[in-house]
Amino acid sequence: MNRDERERYSRQILFSAIGEAGQEKLLAAGAVLVGCGALGTVVTNLMVRAGLGHLVVVDRDFVEPSNLQRQTLFEESDARDALPKAIAAERRLRAVNSGVQVEGIVADLTPDNALDLLDGFPVILDGTDNFETRLLVNDAALFLGVPWIYAAAVGSYGVTMTIRPGKTACLACLLESENGKSASGAEDTCDTLGVLNSVAGIIACVEAAEATKLLSGHPEALNGRLLSCDVWTGKFQSIRVERNPNCRACVQRNFLYLEGRFQPRISVCGRDSVQIHERRRALDLRELGHRAAAASASDVRNNDFLLRFRVAPYEMTVFPDGRAIVKGTQDPAIARSLYARYIGS
Ligand SMILES: [Zn+2]
């Protein structure tokens, strides 16, 4: 550690459990975040300020005005420019701490890329907004033998648990019943129920504390329990989750999500959009933009990361890997037909 670092992190080094030795470990450690929304922006802000060595931010989405209420890394200009969240987060986090190597990756975590994206990090941070992706992260973390920190917030309620392969219960122990089906009611999202920024903040702060313990070499300090809170009723709870002796994932190592058996080609995401997970299809977005304009699309806009245009009442956003988000509908058939018409079948 040099003099500047010793000064910069002095208040954390003074905290006796961390000290110089813990800070050195943090500076040499890395983390990968999946999903940079309400939780992800808070946890990465804290980890970058705490002096992580390197951080990779994986996110599939772009910044919208409705994100600004809780996604603390983003600004109005990011929404205006429709910047991908991974890119906007990378820029902001580099400005917060130039000593941390930050890399943003615009991608949807899928069974095809999960191991490539998540391998090589001592911890995986959960910032996702759906259980399909979390169960994929759970499978990948168990496969790789890497701890991950589950975190979720919706409405005024939030929950988090640190999952360590072979040592604690995993997300499948917690969510899946005997027949391997996901527990019902787990699919409420911020797009249907809304979310308070305060609860996302609390949960992400606990997530950052747990990551700091892990990366500074103090696994004994991990809270080891499922922590939940409701900031509206003021109820805070922590419960012990036992491992399921027959768990599909952490005992039988039956990685259904990693094998891609639950990967839809097309999915409803949010209150009024559909995502088409077309991949392995490199697109020339400028060329496509010209073609869309010629085919009566309006408001055609390109930036370096995506193409967006309107076909009233719908809005289509296309990424270079062929993925697309169609806003203004929940009907996969409409999304598919727009995709075929403007991108190709
Ligand atoms: Zn398990």
Side-chain angles (χ1 to χ4, degrees), residues 26-246:
L26 257 178
L27 286 166
V32 56
L33 168 82
V34 183
C36 196
L39 297 159
T41 52
V42 174
V43 71
T44 52
N45 184 24
L46 293 178
M47 293 313 292
V48 161
R49 285 177 194 275
L52 204 60
H54 65 284
L55 171 75
V56 169
V57 173
V58 180
D59 191 280
R60 67 186 186 186
D61 236 321
F62 49 88
V63 182
E64 295 180 275
S66 67
N67 301 149
L68 301 177
Q69 161 252 5
R70 63 196 177 285
Q71 301 184 14
T72 55
L73 290 177
F74 307 137
E75 299 172 8
E76 290 177 359
S77 61
D78 300 326
R80 233 178 356 253
D81 299 341
L83 269 192
K85 291 182 181 180
I87 302 300
E90 178 192 287
R91 287 183 185 170
R92 182 71 190 276
L93 291 168
R94 283 181 176 178
V96 164
N97 190 345
S98 57
V100 181
Q101 233 187 301
V102 183
E103 186 191 357
I105 298 179
V106 186
D108 189 21
L109 194 82
T110 67
D112 289 332
N113 64 17
L115 294 180
D116 282 343
L117 289 172
L118 303 180
D119 193 13
F121 296 90
V123 66
I124 302 166
L125 304 172
D126 177 16
T128 65
D129 60 358
N130 66 85
F131 279 92
E132 215 156 65
T133 311
R134 287 195 185 98
L135 284 163
L136 173 60
V137 171
N138 189 60
D139 275 8
L142 292 169
F143 181 86
L144 295 167
V146 171
W148 74 283
I149 307 176
Y150 160 51
V154 62
S156 58
Y157 176 80
V159 59
T160 179
M161 182 169 87
T162 301
I163 292 167
R164 299 171 74 205
K167 298 196 171 71
T168 66
C170 79
L171 191 64
C173 293
L174 185 66
L175 292 181
E176 293 177 6
S177 57
E178 286 304 300
N179 59 16
K181 262 183 70 186
S182 281
S184 60
E187 293 299 332
D188 290 332
T189 72
C190 301
D191 289 311
T192 53
L193 294 182
V195 62
L196 295 183
N197 54 17
S198 48
V199 74
I202 287 180
I203 293 298
C205 286
V206 173
E207 188 176 17
E210 290 284 283
T212 302
K213 294 174 200 173
L214 266 170
L215 299 180
S216 66
H218 291 286
E220 78 287 350
L222 294 166
N223 78 45
R225 297 164 76 90
L226 178 81
L227 204 123
S228 68
C229 68
D230 187 321
V231 295
W232 205 253
T233 62
K235 194 172 166 196
F236 284 65
Q237 224 179 2
S238 99
I239 57 167
R240 223 189 145 69
V241 180
E242 298 300 334
R243 287 187 74 182
N244 171 358
N246 302 312

Side-chain angles (χ1 to χ4, degrees), residues 294-317:
S296 78
S298 59
D299 299 338
V300 179
R301 287 170 64 197
N302 274 99
N303 61 27
D304 290 343
F305 315 100
L306 53 82
L307 161 70
R308 172 181 287 179
F309 54 84
R310 282 185 66 75
V311 181
Y314 312 109
E315 182 182 77
M316 195 145 183
T317 304

